[in-house]
Amino acid sequence: MMSIAWINAAALWAIGLVAIPIAIHLLVRQQSRIVAYPSLRFVRETALAAFRRRAIQDAFLLACRSAIVIGGVLAIAGPIVQTP
């Protein structure tokens, strides 16, 4: 039976660093398209604050960034495959 041991098991706490690319991905603002209106007098004023839902735009790119961070952390932790 094969098992995995870690040379530097304390480095595995750094897997929490995967939150960094997720935060960057969600916080990057997309360029807004400017639409010119002939007159704003027909637009009602509203008391509601502008609310923009943060959605994941490119899930594959986010998954790749996260996999790179996780792979780096696992490489630093130093896995060793032990066989009988």
Side-chain angles (χ1 to χ4, degrees):
M1 177 177 184
M2 292 183 0
S3 64
I4 295 179
W6 302 97
I7 294 174
N8 187 8
L12 291 177
W13 67 266
I15 287 186
L17 294 176
V18 78
I20 293 172
I22 293 172
I24 291 172
H25 191 85
L26 291 176
L27 293 176
V28 170
R29 292 186 174 254
Q30 301 295 326
Q31 292 294 333
S32 299
R33 187 173 58 136
I34 297 174
V35 179
Y37 289 102
S39 175
L40 292 176
R41 66 181 168 173
F42 300 114
V43 178
R44 290 185 294 146
E45 288 187 34
T46 180
L48 296 176
F51 177 75
R52 190 175 121 190
R53 183 173 179 221
R54 300 281 182 182
I56 295 175
Q57 298 294 325
D58 192 356
F60 181 71
L61 177 62
L62 181 59
C64 288
R65 290 174 177 168
S66 300
I68 289 170
V69 172
I70 291 173
V73 169
L74 291 177
I76 290 171
I80 297 175
V81 177
Q82 296 176 341
T83 58

